[in-house]
Amino acid sequence: MARSGNKNDDREFRVYENVDELSSNLAEYIAELSESCIKERGVFAIALSGGSLISLMSKLSEAPYNKTVDWARWYVFWADERVVAKSHADSNYKLVKDGFLSKVPIMHSHVHSINDLVSAEQAAEDYEFVVRQLVRKRVISVSEVNDCPRFDLILLGMGPDGHIASIFPNHPVINEIDQWVTFITDSPKPPPERITFTLPVINSASNVAIVVTGGGKAEAVHMAIDDMSGDCPELPARMVRPINGELVWFLDLSAASKIESVKFSE
Ligand SMILES: O=C(O)[C@H](O)[C@@H](O)[C@H](O)[C@H](O)COP(=O)(O)O
């Protein structure tokens, strides 16, 4: 690792020399969490996002993890999904299937993708229902603080505007506290129709990792992490603060280049 650091609020920052080093460490982080959660609960409930994240976690489907991870205990969800057919180039399900699921022996019945045959609103409602059923069966555990689902790990990317999942800056979905899964039809990043976990669900997870690379996101990383004087922008990435869980930022040197207020050690 190039550098690591903490803020005095439990957020952890891991900064790597390059994308290759980040990818290796991200795979190791996921494999370790999988092992400890399976030891503790017998299953591992992980939620993924779209974008570059999926190629950044691709080493998890290679040796040694393809043999050492207990894939039969994995349950896979999406923290956000684009409402398009599963075969569509924009589908996060397709991205994950092509880049990850097709390479590891996760049971098909443990992969919970959205219903792509209905409207965004209905897809969000259906997906929340699926999550509720699995909370009831304790495949997903439950937060003692607020009764929200408590995923073992939620993996997020971040856009250059500071969005995470499909929660965008200045969008009313930021303030959604009643639903676990909601929908939007006006995403500034195409395609426009998406479903997304809400912030209360993201912040109820046991572990959240935000994975960001490239200088084009350095300003958003700074806005999301550093102490801001005056009015704090309502940046979704800044609002990821697990109530009773761990947050780790995985960054390469370029993405971390504008961070000011974290004390790093080599
Ligand atoms: O489906 C999506 O669009 C996302 O889940 C979104 O939140 C993504 O993770 C970020 O936009 C980062 O994407 P990149 O890493 O490709 O920039």
Side-chain angles (χ1 to χ4, degrees):
M1 194 182 318
R3 297 181 288 164
S4 75
N6 286 77
K7 285 185 68 111
N8 49 10
D9 53 19
D10 288 340
R11 285 180 290 173
E12 191 190 329
F13 304 92
R14 302 184 189 180
V15 181
Y16 299 96
E17 293 291 344
N18 52 50
V19 167
D20 189 58
E21 205 188 301
L22 183 152
S23 302
S24 303
N25 283 277
L26 180 62
E28 182 62 25
Y29 163 84
I30 300 169
E32 276 175 11
L33 275 180
S34 155
E35 192 181 339
S36 64
C37 290
I38 291 170
K39 213 169 271 170
E40 198 186 316
R41 312 203 299 114
V43 294
F44 184 54
I46 180 171
L48 306 171
S49 308
S52 58
L53 171 73
I54 305 307
S55 67
L56 291 169
M57 61 180 272
S58 66
K59 292 193 183 190
L60 197 60
S61 60
E62 297 168 9
Y65 309 112
N66 53 353
K67 298 276 183 318
T68 55
V69 169
D70 192 352
W71 300 108
R73 316 279 188 121
W74 272 49
Y75 288 78
V76 177
F77 301 83
W78 276 263
D80 73 314
E81 176 59 288
R82 295 99 179 264
V83 183
V84 293
K86 288 194 177 75
S87 55
H88 194 285
D90 283 339
S91 161
N92 283 345
Y93 168 79
K94 179 174 164 47
L95 180 75
V96 176
K97 182 170 165 260
D98 294 350
F100 177 61
L101 293 174
S102 57
K103 300 174 182 168
V104 292
I106 296 176
M107 283 154 74
H108 188 65
S109 60
H110 289 185
V111 175
H112 294 283
S113 54
I114 67 159
N115 180 354
D116 60 347
L117 302 172
V118 295
S119 67
E121 182 172 12
Q122 189 62 48
E125 205 175 294
D126 289 0
Y127 205 60
E128 180 166 320
F129 181 77
V130 169
V131 171
R132 275 189 196 281
Q133 299 304 308
L134 293 167
V135 167
R136 209 160 288 152
K137 294 181 186 159
R138 290 295 183 269
V139 166
I140 305 166
S141 58
V142 63
S143 163
E144 284 166 14
V145 181
N146 55 13
D147 287 336
C148 270
R150 183 164 169 76
F151 285 89
D152 297 312
L153 174 61
I154 298 182
L155 286 172
L156 302 169
M158 184 191 75
D161 59 353
H163 79 262
I164 44 97
S166 288
I167 306 176
F168 290 86
N170 304 315
H171 194 286
V173 162
I174 288 180
N175 301 313
E176 176 60 60
I177 52 168
D178 296 326
Q179 312 286 327
W180 290 353
V181 183
T182 191
F183 71 101
I184 61 172
T185 54
D186 55 358
S187 168
K189 177 183 178 184
E193 303 207 344
R194 291 152 172 261
I195 67 143
T196 185
F197 284 177
T198 56
L199 279 168
V201 170
I202 293 170
N203 285 330
S204 298
S206 298
N207 297 277
V208 180
I210 307 181
V211 184
V212 187
T213 60
K217 294 179 180 173
E219 186 61 29
V221 168
H222 158 65
M223 302 273 283
I225 289 175
D226 283 321
D227 307 319
M228 294 284 153
S229 53
D231 275 351
C232 256
E234 270 208 325
L235 208 66
R238 194 180 173 86
M239 299 169 87
V240 178
R241 302 297 293 274
I243 309 161
N244 197 8
E246 309 286 327
L247 171 61
V248 184
W249 283 77
F250 283 82
L251 303 158
D252 68 352
L253 279 175
S254 321
S257 59
K258 294 192 176 170
I259 297 177
E260 287 165 1
S261 62
V262 178
K263 286 199 172 53
F264 288 105
S265 53
E266 298 293 317

